[in-house]
Amino acid sequence: MIRLSESGNRAEVAAASGGFHRRSDFAVLLTELNQSRRESSFHRTRRLSILDREAKAAVSVGDSSMRMANEIVQLLVQSAGSWLFEGSRSGLSDREWMALRFLALANRFSKTPTALAAFLGTTRSVASQIAAVLLEKGLVVRKPSAEDKRSITLCITREGEKFLERDPINALRDQLVALEDSDRSRLRDTLRRVLVGLDVAERRHHTDVCNQCMFLVETGAGKDRHFKCRLFRKSIAEKETTLLCTYFEARS
């Protein structure tokens, strides 16, 4: 009995059953079998070559993505010079400027020392010290909270609003204003996704505008349009929905 590889089943069967009438028949079949093996080896080698190229391409894309990510990070770090600096500018430190900006843009639920501390990423004691500087300069005033009489609200004064015209970060803001609307929208949405990703990774939440929050409920239309915060169970004026809230939770 003639024994070949598994791919030679046709030759095995023919030989075992006495199916070869002439030696030339076997030679032809053996030639076909060898050709089939060569073709199989060629296609296998080609597939491996394609997979190797695809793997190298994937690595190249990964390296390119990492290089670009590092470049973006460096650009963000450089832009941070607008709001992170040593000493003071126009009489305020970077943290004091951050507090003043926040209080100018925060909704009524977030104008408290506790909310300010959460935004600055510091303790309530440190936030109170920063607020005290702003109070001393007449940029902020304390008022009883309309939501909780036991709490106070930190409200920016007209002098504080005027003072913000000297904000060092305005140079960065003006560069963003100069962008095309589509570029601004993409940049805003991209940065928002990045912040949400950081929140998940670090188990925290960031401050964002009310109208992007999962707690905001909108009902009605036109004159009957109404907004309500499910977290505080309070009605909100439409203009307040564009303000910052430290209790923000992104919609899933």
Side-chain angles (χ1 to χ4, degrees):
M1 179 182 294
I2 299 174
R3 286 290 179 184
L4 300 174
S5 66
E6 291 183 3
S7 59
N9 286 339
R10 179 180 166 194
E12 276 191 30
V13 173
S17 61
F20 291 119
H21 299 293
R22 294 187 304 274
R23 183 181 296 276
S24 59
D25 292 337
F26 177 74
V28 169
L29 185 58
L30 189 60
T31 300
E32 292 176 352
L33 177 61
N34 289 333
Q35 178 65 24
S36 175
R37 286 173 173 169
R38 284 194 296 272
E39 290 177 354
S40 176
S41 177
F42 169 76
H43 290 302
R44 184 165 56 252
T45 302
R46 185 181 180 189
R47 284 197 300 272
L48 290 174
S49 178
I50 292 173
L51 289 173
D52 184 56
R53 288 200 300 272
E54 290 176 347
K56 288 180 179 178
V59 170
S60 178
V61 170
D63 290 344
S64 177
S65 298
M66 185 61 71
R67 284 196 298 272
M68 185 173 292
N70 285 328
E71 186 177 349
I72 292 170
V73 168
Q74 291 305 314
L75 290 171
L76 288 173
V77 169
Q78 291 180 60
S79 70
S82 299
W83 66 89
L84 292 176
F85 49 85
E86 297 292 335
S88 64
R89 293 184 185 178
S90 298
L92 295 181
S93 69
D94 59 345
R95 280 290 185 88
E96 291 159 0
W97 274 115
M98 289 174 68
L100 188 63
R101 291 180 205 120
F102 170 71
L103 294 173
L105 297 173
N107 65 15
R108 70 180 190 270
F109 306 118
S110 302
K111 291 180 181 290
T112 65
T114 299
L116 179 60
F119 176 76
L120 296 175
T122 188
T123 64
R124 194 178 187 281
S125 175
V126 172
S128 295
Q129 292 174 19
I130 292 172
V133 173
L134 302 180
L135 287 161
E136 184 181 352
K137 292 180 177 293
L139 306 178
V140 168
V141 294
R142 286 192 180 98
K143 292 183 179 180
S145 172
E147 310 304 325
D148 183 354
K149 299 302 181 182
R150 297 169 299 178
S151 301
I152 63 165
T153 298
L154 298 171
C155 299
I156 190 169
T157 63
R158 288 187 178 180
E159 181 63 27
E161 292 175 350
K162 185 177 180 181
F163 197 81
L164 280 169
E165 295 175 4
R166 288 181 271 170
D167 190 345
I169 209 172
N170 290 348
L172 176 60
R173 178 204 61 193
D174 294 343
Q175 291 302 313
L176 296 175
V177 169
L179 295 176
E180 297 290 337
D181 287 345
S182 58
D183 291 336
R184 272 198 308 274
S185 295
R186 281 195 296 271
L187 180 58
R188 178 199 61 195
D189 296 341
T190 299
L191 288 175
R192 181 169 280 140
R193 288 197 299 272
V194 169
L195 284 173
V196 169
L198 289 172
D199 293 342
V200 172
E202 299 182 18
R203 297 182 180 181
R204 68 180 188 190
H205 71 273
H206 70 276
T207 298
D208 210 329
V209 292
C210 177
N211 58 24
Q212 298 294 316
C213 182
M214 63 178 289
F215 296 126
L216 183 68
V217 177
E218 178 182 351
T219 58
K223 293 182 179 180
D224 297 323
R225 196 178 187 192
H226 182 72
F227 297 91
K228 183 177 181 179
C229 176
R230 291 186 299 166
L231 180 64
F232 289 95
R233 299 179 181 180
K234 299 284 186 178
S235 295
I236 300 176
E238 183 174 359
K239 64 180 180 180
E240 279 191 286
T241 63
T242 62
L243 298 178
L244 297 176
C245 185
T246 54
Y247 302 95
F248 173 88
E249 290 289 347
R251 297 189 181 102
S252 56

